[in-house]
Amino acid sequence: MTVTDRTHARHRLDDHLQNPVRFSIVAALDRAGTLGFREVRDAVEVTDSALSKQVAVLENAGYLSVGKAFVGKTPRTSLTLTRSGRDAWRTHLDALREIAGQPERDDPAR
């Protein structure tokens, strides 16, 4: 194999999803679709500041969209996984499964 051959599954791992907090955010959104900022913060068990920083990275990558609204006078922020984010998540998970020796999610033998 040459240096330019990229057949090992690790080459399909997404750099944005290597961070454990971002990985956890995307996992939560993949299951739920859209969640409130507080729901994600509590599910991932991080501070508001830590979540904001990681959400900004994922938003800049096009992996999630951030919605802003008001409920009465209270601001609400919602997080939604984009199609691009969902595709990146699935590719990342498939690569992890391949590295771990597990069949991919679309494998009919599963």
Side-chain angles (χ1 to χ4, degrees), residues 14-92:
D14 189 296
D15 288 341
H16 293 99
L17 300 177
Q18 297 282 32
N19 174 286
V21 173
R22 291 192 297 262
F23 183 94
S24 299
I25 293 166
V26 174
L29 292 173
D30 182 57
R31 289 189 299 270
T34 298
L35 290 172
F37 184 91
R38 284 194 247 166
E39 293 172 296
V40 175
R41 178 200 63 204
D42 294 346
V44 178
E45 299 177 352
V46 294
T47 64
D48 287 356
S49 175
L51 181 58
S52 291
K53 289 175 187 174
Q54 300 308 325
V55 163
V57 171
L58 291 168
E59 184 180 27
N60 288 336
Y63 287 8
L64 61 82
S65 61
V66 178
K68 302 278 186 178
F70 282 88
V71 176
K73 294 184 178 185
T74 306
R76 299 284 185 208
T77 301
S78 62
L79 306 174
T80 305
L81 198 59
T82 64
R83 179 178 300 272
S84 176
R86 193 170 308 280
D87 290 345
W89 172 247
R90 291 194 173 127
T91 298
H92 189 80

